[in-house]
PDB file of all heavy atoms in Angstrom:
ATOM      1  N   HIS A  35      82.903  -4.448  48.527  1.00  0.00           N
ATOM      2  CA  HIS A  35      82.502  -5.009  49.780  1.00  0.00           C
ATOM      3  C   HIS A  35      83.760  -5.568  50.557  1.00  0.00           C
ATOM      4  O   HIS A  35      84.768  -5.883  49.939  1.00  0.00           O
ATOM      5  CB  HIS A  35      81.535  -6.197  49.585  1.00  0.00           C
ATOM      6  CG  HIS A  35      80.248  -5.865  48.859  1.00  0.00           C
ATOM      7  ND1 HIS A  35      79.159  -5.684  49.457  1.00  0.00           N
ATOM      8  CD2 HIS A  35      80.111  -5.706  47.551  1.00  0.00           C
ATOM      9  CE1 HIS A  35      78.163  -5.460  48.646  1.00  0.00           C
ATOM     10  NE2 HIS A  35      78.720  -5.449  47.370  1.00  0.00           N
ATOM     11  N   GLN A  39      86.046 -14.013  57.292  1.00  0.00           N
ATOM     12  CA  GLN A  39      85.950 -15.464  57.649  1.00  0.00           C
ATOM     13  C   GLN A  39      86.845 -15.829  58.793  1.00  0.00           C
ATOM     14  O   GLN A  39      88.120 -15.768  58.690  1.00  0.00           O
ATOM     15  CB  GLN A  39      86.287 -16.330  56.418  1.00  0.00           C
ATOM     16  CG  GLN A  39      86.067 -17.821  56.628  1.00  0.00           C
ATOM     17  CD  GLN A  39      86.170 -18.496  55.290  1.00  0.00           C
ATOM     18  OE1 GLN A  39      87.090 -18.221  54.451  1.00  0.00           O
ATOM     19  NE2 GLN A  39      85.368 -19.615  55.107  1.00  0.00           N
ATOM     20  N   GLY A  44      82.460 -19.737  58.730  1.00  0.00           N
ATOM     21  CA  GLY A  44      81.935 -19.368  57.397  1.00  0.00           C
ATOM     22  C   GLY A  44      82.162 -17.953  57.080  1.00  0.00           C
ATOM     23  O   GLY A  44      82.709 -17.209  57.814  1.00  0.00           O
ATOM     24  N   LEU A  45      81.655 -17.641  55.934  1.00  0.00           N
ATOM     25  CA  LEU A  45      81.729 -16.200  55.430  1.00  0.00           C
ATOM     26  C   LEU A  45      80.680 -15.303  56.012  1.00  0.00           C
ATOM     27  O   LEU A  45      79.597 -15.710  56.277  1.00  0.00           O
ATOM     28  CB  LEU A  45      81.524 -16.215  53.865  1.00  0.00           C
ATOM     29  CG  LEU A  45      82.548 -17.054  53.004  1.00  0.00           C
ATOM     30  CD1 LEU A  45      81.978 -17.114  51.613  1.00  0.00           C
ATOM     31  CD2 LEU A  45      83.913 -16.489  53.120  1.00  0.00           C
ATOM     32  N   THR A  59      77.270   0.911  54.064  1.00  0.00           N
ATOM     33  CA  THR A  59      76.364   0.167  55.042  1.00  0.00           C
ATOM     34  C   THR A  59      77.327  -0.901  55.647  1.00  0.00           C
ATOM     35  O   THR A  59      78.373  -1.264  55.159  1.00  0.00           O
ATOM     36  CB  THR A  59      75.290  -0.622  54.368  1.00  0.00           C
ATOM     37  OG1 THR A  59      75.796  -1.447  53.261  1.00  0.00           O
ATOM     38  CG2 THR A  59      74.182   0.322  53.756  1.00  0.00           C
ATOM     39  N   TYR A  95      88.358 -10.421  53.296  1.00  0.00           N
ATOM     40  CA  TYR A  95      88.432 -10.353  51.802  1.00  0.00           C
ATOM     41  C   TYR A  95      87.734  -9.116  51.301  1.00  0.00           C
ATOM     42  O   TYR A  95      86.739  -8.731  51.806  1.00  0.00           O
ATOM     43  CB  TYR A  95      87.594 -11.563  51.228  1.00  0.00           C
ATOM     44  CG  TYR A  95      88.145 -12.922  51.513  1.00  0.00           C
ATOM     45  CD1 TYR A  95      87.640 -13.787  52.541  1.00  0.00           C
ATOM     46  CD2 TYR A  95      89.154 -13.523  50.712  1.00  0.00           C
ATOM     47  CE1 TYR A  95      88.074 -15.070  52.761  1.00  0.00           C
ATOM     48  CE2 TYR A  95      89.616 -14.756  51.002  1.00  0.00           C
ATOM     49  CZ  TYR A  95      89.152 -15.494  51.979  1.00  0.00           C
ATOM     50  OH  TYR A  95      89.529 -16.744  52.239  1.00  0.00           O
ATOM     51  N   ALA A 102      73.651  -7.807  40.312  1.00  0.00           N
ATOM     52  CA  ALA A 102      72.789  -8.799  40.864  1.00  0.00           C
ATOM     53  C   ALA A 102      73.062  -9.058  42.358  1.00  0.00           C
ATOM     54  O   ALA A 102      72.626 -10.080  42.896  1.00  0.00           O
ATOM     55  CB  ALA A 102      73.026 -10.023  40.049  1.00  0.00           C
ATOM     56  N   TYR A 103      73.701  -8.051  42.975  1.00  0.00           N
ATOM     57  CA  TYR A 103      73.962  -8.110  44.373  1.00  0.00           C
ATOM     58  C   TYR A 103      74.669  -9.361  44.810  1.00  0.00           C
ATOM     59  O   TYR A 103      74.532  -9.941  45.889  1.00  0.00           O
ATOM     60  CB  TYR A 103      72.588  -8.041  45.166  1.00  0.00           C
ATOM     61  CG  TYR A 103      71.946  -6.695  45.187  1.00  0.00           C
ATOM     62  CD1 TYR A 103      71.383  -6.193  43.949  1.00  0.00           C
ATOM     63  CD2 TYR A 103      71.967  -5.842  46.260  1.00  0.00           C
ATOM     64  CE1 TYR A 103      70.835  -4.956  43.899  1.00  0.00           C
ATOM     65  CE2 TYR A 103      71.434  -4.545  46.137  1.00  0.00           C
ATOM     66  CZ  TYR A 103      70.932  -4.109  45.069  1.00  0.00           C
ATOM     67  OH  TYR A 103      70.342  -2.875  44.950  1.00  0.00           O
ATOM     68  N   PHE A 105      78.823 -11.220  44.545  1.00  0.00           N
ATOM     69  CA  PHE A 105      80.285 -10.823  44.611  1.00  0.00           C
ATOM     70  C   PHE A 105      81.124 -11.629  43.629  1.00  0.00           C
ATOM     71  O   PHE A 105      81.216 -12.912  43.782  1.00  0.00           O
ATOM     72  CB  PHE A 105      80.797 -11.132  46.045  1.00  0.00           C
ATOM     73  CG  PHE A 105      79.913 -10.731  47.114  1.00  0.00           C
ATOM     74  CD1 PHE A 105      79.145 -11.642  47.844  1.00  0.00           C
ATOM     75  CD2 PHE A 105      79.719  -9.331  47.388  1.00  0.00           C
ATOM     76  CE1 PHE A 105      78.301 -11.244  48.925  1.00  0.00           C
ATOM     77  CE2 PHE A 105      78.809  -8.917  48.461  1.00  0.00           C
ATOM     78  CZ  PHE A 105      78.169  -9.899  49.169  1.00  0.00           C
ATOM     79  N   TRP A 108      87.039 -11.713  43.953  1.00  0.00           N
ATOM     80  CA  TRP A 108      87.487 -11.777  45.394  1.00  0.00           C
ATOM     81  C   TRP A 108      89.018 -11.680  45.421  1.00  0.00           C
ATOM     82  O   TRP A 108      89.735 -12.222  44.507  1.00  0.00           O
ATOM     83  CB  TRP A 108      87.117 -13.063  46.087  1.00  0.00           C
ATOM     84  CG  TRP A 108      85.686 -13.332  46.210  1.00  0.00           C
ATOM     85  CD1 TRP A 108      84.759 -13.588  45.203  1.00  0.00           C
ATOM     86  CD2 TRP A 108      84.989 -13.354  47.394  1.00  0.00           C
ATOM     87  NE1 TRP A 108      83.470 -13.726  45.741  1.00  0.00           N
ATOM     88  CE2 TRP A 108      83.556 -13.635  47.083  1.00  0.00           C
ATOM     89  CE3 TRP A 108      85.218 -13.214  48.784  1.00  0.00           C
ATOM     90  CZ2 TRP A 108      82.547 -13.715  48.082  1.00  0.00           C
ATOM     91  CZ3 TRP A 108      84.305 -13.354  49.720  1.00  0.00           C
ATOM     92  CH2 TRP A 108      82.924 -13.592  49.410  1.00  0.00           C
ATOM     93  N   GLY A 109      89.590 -10.977  46.410  1.00  0.00           N
ATOM     94  CA  GLY A 109      90.965 -11.008  46.671  1.00  0.00           C
ATOM     95  C   GLY A 109      91.331 -12.245  47.367  1.00  0.00           C
ATOM     96  O   GLY A 109      90.534 -13.131  47.720  1.00  0.00           O
TER      97      GLY A 109
ATOM     98  N   LEU B  34      67.751 -12.928  44.706  1.00  0.00           N
ATOM     99  CA  LEU B  34      69.136 -12.442  44.682  1.00  0.00           C
ATOM    100  C   LEU B  34      70.002 -13.435  45.503  1.00  0.00           C
ATOM    101  O   LEU B  34      70.836 -12.944  46.391  1.00  0.00           O
ATOM    102  CB  LEU B  34      69.196 -11.015  45.229  1.00  0.00           C
ATOM    103  CG  LEU B  34      68.551 -10.007  44.386  1.00  0.00           C
ATOM    104  CD1 LEU B  34      68.463  -8.589  45.065  1.00  0.00           C
ATOM    105  CD2 LEU B  34      69.210  -9.821  42.963  1.00  0.00           C
ATOM    106  N   TYR B  38      78.636 -19.758  46.298  1.00  0.00           N
ATOM    107  CA  TYR B  38      80.105 -19.655  46.223  1.00  0.00           C
ATOM    108  C   TYR B  38      80.790 -21.002  46.543  1.00  0.00           C
ATOM    109  O   TYR B  38      80.329 -21.625  47.456  1.00  0.00           O
ATOM    110  CB  TYR B  38      80.684 -18.508  47.164  1.00  0.00           C
ATOM    111  CG  TYR B  38      80.020 -17.252  46.882  1.00  0.00           C
ATOM    112  CD1 TYR B  38      78.803 -16.933  47.362  1.00  0.00           C
ATOM    113  CD2 TYR B  38      80.550 -16.279  45.927  1.00  0.00           C
ATOM    114  CE1 TYR B  38      78.166 -15.708  47.126  1.00  0.00           C
ATOM    115  CE2 TYR B  38      79.946 -15.143  45.592  1.00  0.00           C
ATOM    116  CZ  TYR B  38      78.721 -14.895  46.195  1.00  0.00           C
ATOM    117  OH  TYR B  38      78.113 -13.663  45.860  1.00  0.00           O
ATOM    118  N   GLN B  40      84.407 -22.679  47.687  1.00  0.00           N
ATOM    119  CA  GLN B  40      85.706 -22.343  48.345  1.00  0.00           C
ATOM    120  C   GLN B  40      86.547 -23.541  48.592  1.00  0.00           C
ATOM    121  O   GLN B  40      86.091 -24.429  49.430  1.00  0.00           O
ATOM    122  CB  GLN B  40      85.430 -21.486  49.637  1.00  0.00           C
ATOM    123  CG  GLN B  40      86.787 -20.955  50.209  1.00  0.00           C
ATOM    124  CD  GLN B  40      86.525 -20.152  51.499  1.00  0.00           C
ATOM    125  OE1 GLN B  40      85.693 -20.495  52.290  1.00  0.00           O
ATOM    126  NE2 GLN B  40      87.297 -19.126  51.737  1.00  0.00           N
ATOM    127  N   ALA B  45      90.302 -18.274  47.953  1.00  0.00           N
ATOM    128  CA  ALA B  45      89.194 -17.330  48.069  1.00  0.00           C
ATOM    129  C   ALA B  45      87.992 -17.914  47.487  1.00  0.00           C
ATOM    130  O   ALA B  45      88.031 -18.831  46.619  1.00  0.00           O
ATOM    131  CB  ALA B  45      89.575 -16.085  47.236  1.00  0.00           C
ATOM    132  N   PRO B  46      86.828 -17.431  47.915  1.00  0.00           N
ATOM    133  CA  PRO B  46      85.552 -17.940  47.323  1.00  0.00           C
ATOM    134  C   PRO B  46      85.452 -17.610  45.801  1.00  0.00           C
ATOM    135  O   PRO B  46      86.035 -16.726  45.349  1.00  0.00           O
ATOM    136  CB  PRO B  46      84.469 -17.205  48.167  1.00  0.00           C
ATOM    137  CG  PRO B  46      85.175 -16.817  49.392  1.00  0.00           C
ATOM    138  CD  PRO B  46      86.606 -16.500  49.008  1.00  0.00           C
ATOM    139  N   GLU B  52      71.686 -14.560  41.115  1.00  0.00           N
ATOM    140  CA  GLU B  52      70.220 -14.394  40.878  1.00  0.00           C
ATOM    141  C   GLU B  52      69.491 -15.728  40.887  1.00  0.00           C
ATOM    142  O   GLU B  52      68.613 -16.028  40.106  1.00  0.00           O
ATOM    143  CB  GLU B  52      69.907 -13.636  39.570  1.00  0.00           C
ATOM    144  CG  GLU B  52      70.318 -12.168  39.664  1.00  0.00           C
ATOM    145  CD  GLU B  52      69.956 -11.428  38.451  1.00  0.00           C
ATOM    146  OE1 GLU B  52      69.840 -12.030  37.312  1.00  0.00           O
ATOM    147  OE2 GLU B  52      69.849 -10.161  38.513  1.00  0.00           O
ATOM    148  N   TYR B  89      78.879 -21.993  49.921  1.00  0.00           N
ATOM    149  CA  TYR B  89      78.134 -21.069  50.645  1.00  0.00           C
ATOM    150  C   TYR B  89      77.084 -20.415  49.850  1.00  0.00           C
ATOM    151  O   TYR B  89      77.227 -19.984  48.692  1.00  0.00           O
ATOM    152  CB  TYR B  89      79.014 -19.904  51.207  1.00  0.00           C
ATOM    153  CG  TYR B  89      80.074 -20.405  52.210  1.00  0.00           C
ATOM    154  CD1 TYR B  89      81.370 -20.838  51.759  1.00  0.00           C
ATOM    155  CD2 TYR B  89      79.850 -20.402  53.632  1.00  0.00           C
ATOM    156  CE1 TYR B  89      82.340 -21.210  52.639  1.00  0.00           C
ATOM    157  CE2 TYR B  89      80.741 -20.809  54.447  1.00  0.00           C
ATOM    158  CZ  TYR B  89      82.035 -21.281  53.998  1.00  0.00           C
ATOM    159  OH  TYR B  89      82.997 -21.630  54.883  1.00  0.00           O
ATOM    160  N   TYR B  93      70.741 -11.292  49.390  1.00  0.00           N
ATOM    161  CA  TYR B  93      70.539  -9.974  49.760  1.00  0.00           C
ATOM    162  C   TYR B  93      69.318  -9.891  50.617  1.00  0.00           C
ATOM    163  O   TYR B  93      68.326 -10.666  50.392  1.00  0.00           O
ATOM    164  CB  TYR B  93      70.278  -9.102  48.490  1.00  0.00           C
ATOM    165  CG  TYR B  93      70.061  -7.643  48.853  1.00  0.00           C
ATOM    166  CD1 TYR B  93      71.158  -6.863  49.352  1.00  0.00           C
ATOM    167  CD2 TYR B  93      68.844  -7.031  48.627  1.00  0.00           C
ATOM    168  CE1 TYR B  93      70.952  -5.537  49.680  1.00  0.00           C
ATOM    169  CE2 TYR B  93      68.622  -5.722  48.956  1.00  0.00           C
ATOM    170  CZ  TYR B  93      69.689  -4.889  49.475  1.00  0.00           C
ATOM    171  OH  TYR B  93      69.496  -3.628  49.740  1.00  0.00           O
ATOM    172  N   ASN B  99      71.273  -6.091  54.892  1.00  0.00           N
ATOM    173  CA  ASN B  99      72.032  -6.112  53.674  1.00  0.00           C
ATOM    174  C   ASN B  99      72.244  -7.504  53.154  1.00  0.00           C
ATOM    175  O   ASN B  99      71.391  -8.034  52.403  1.00  0.00           O
ATOM    176  CB  ASN B  99      73.337  -5.332  53.893  1.00  0.00           C
ATOM    177  CG  ASN B  99      73.080  -3.862  54.060  1.00  0.00           C
ATOM    178  OD1 ASN B  99      73.133  -3.099  53.123  1.00  0.00           O
ATOM    179  ND2 ASN B  99      72.965  -3.406  55.327  1.00  0.00           N
ATOM    180  N   TRP B 100      73.331  -8.149  53.387  1.00  0.00           N
ATOM    181  CA  TRP B 100      73.655  -9.412  52.840  1.00  0.00           C
ATOM    182  C   TRP B 100      73.818 -10.455  54.003  1.00  0.00           C
ATOM    183  O   TRP B 100      74.459 -10.143  54.990  1.00  0.00           O
ATOM    184  CB  TRP B 100      74.947  -9.445  52.087  1.00  0.00           C
ATOM    185  CG  TRP B 100      74.764  -8.787  50.675  1.00  0.00           C
ATOM    186  CD1 TRP B 100      74.590  -9.463  49.479  1.00  0.00           C
ATOM    187  CD2 TRP B 100      74.886  -7.434  50.323  1.00  0.00           C
ATOM    188  NE1 TRP B 100      74.502  -8.524  48.417  1.00  0.00           N
ATOM    189  CE2 TRP B 100      74.666  -7.272  48.974  1.00  0.00           C
ATOM    190  CE3 TRP B 100      75.074  -6.172  51.078  1.00  0.00           C
ATOM    191  CZ2 TRP B 100      74.709  -6.052  48.290  1.00  0.00           C
ATOM    192  CZ3 TRP B 100      75.010  -4.992  50.442  1.00  0.00           C
ATOM    193  CH2 TRP B 100      74.808  -4.953  49.146  1.00  0.00           C
ATOM    194  N   PHE B 102      74.962 -14.634  54.702  1.00  0.00           N
ATOM    195  CA  PHE B 102      75.464 -15.890  54.128  1.00  0.00           C
ATOM    196  C   PHE B 102      74.914 -17.087  54.926  1.00  0.00           C
ATOM    197  O   PHE B 102      74.436 -16.946  56.031  1.00  0.00           O
ATOM    198  CB  PHE B 102      76.999 -15.902  54.340  1.00  0.00           C
ATOM    199  CG  PHE B 102      77.779 -15.160  53.288  1.00  0.00           C
ATOM    200  CD1 PHE B 102      78.142 -13.765  53.435  1.00  0.00           C
ATOM    201  CD2 PHE B 102      78.186 -15.758  52.101  1.00  0.00           C
ATOM    202  CE1 PHE B 102      78.850 -13.099  52.485  1.00  0.00           C
ATOM    203  CE2 PHE B 102      78.887 -15.096  51.081  1.00  0.00           C
ATOM    204  CZ  PHE B 102      79.194 -13.716  51.298  1.00  0.00           C
TER     205      PHE B 102
END
Side-chain angles (χ1 to χ4, degrees):
Chain A
H35 301 258
Q39 186 171 35
L45 300 170
T59 54
Y95 295 100
Y103 289 71
F105 316 107
W108 296 68
Chain B
L34 295 172
Y38 303 86
Q40 187 180 35
E52 287 183 340
Y89 294 90
Y93 179 67
N99 291 271
W100 283 265
F102 280 92

